[in-house]
C-alpha cells in the first residue's frame, strides 16, 4: 500500500521519508537501507536516491547477510 512509509529519524528527532509502499527492509554491511515494495528491491545509500537492485514478481522478506 502507498501509505506504508519507510521513515528515517535523525538523533535530533527529525524524520525524513525514505520511500513509500515499503513491504520489508534491512540494512546491508555498509549501513545502506535495502527495501522492497514486493515487486522490486532497492538500495538506498546515504544522500542518494534509491536504486533498483532487481525486480521480481513477489518479494516478501529482505535479509542482508555478511
Amino acid at each position: 500500500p502507498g501509505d506504508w512509509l519507510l521513515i528515517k529519524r535523525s538523533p535530533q528527532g527529525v524524520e525524513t521519508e525514505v520511500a513509500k509502499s515499503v513491504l520489508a527492509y534491512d540494512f546491508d554491511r555498509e549501513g545502506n537501507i535495502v527495501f522492497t515494495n514486493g515487486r522490486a528491491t532497492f538500495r538506498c545509500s546515504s544522500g542518494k536516491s534509491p536504486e533498483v537492485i532487481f525486480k521480481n514478481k513477489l518479494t516478501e522478506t529482505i535479509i542482508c547477510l555478511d
Side-chain angles (χ1 to χ4, degrees):
D3 60 344
W4 289 9
L5 304 177
L6 180 58
I7 303 292
K8 177 173 69 172
R9 182 177 296 146
S10 74
Q12 296 78 24
V14 177
E15 293 183 346
T16 305
E17 182 181 304
V18 176
K20 294 181 180 182
S21 303
V22 175
L23 179 62
Y25 72 95
D26 199 359
F27 296 92
D28 66 15
R29 69 177 77 153
E30 288 84 29
N32 300 311
I33 302 169
V34 179
F35 66 92
T36 184
N37 61 8
R39 295 190 174 149
T41 298
F42 305 85
R43 178 185 301 118
C44 188
S45 301
S46 181
K48 297 182 180 177
S49 296
E51 63 176 317
V52 176
I53 300 173
F54 64 89
K55 293 183 178 181
N56 199 12
K57 290 187 179 183
L58 180 61
T59 301
E60 296 179 335
T61 304
I62 298 289
I63 300 173
C64 297
L65 303 172
D66 284 338

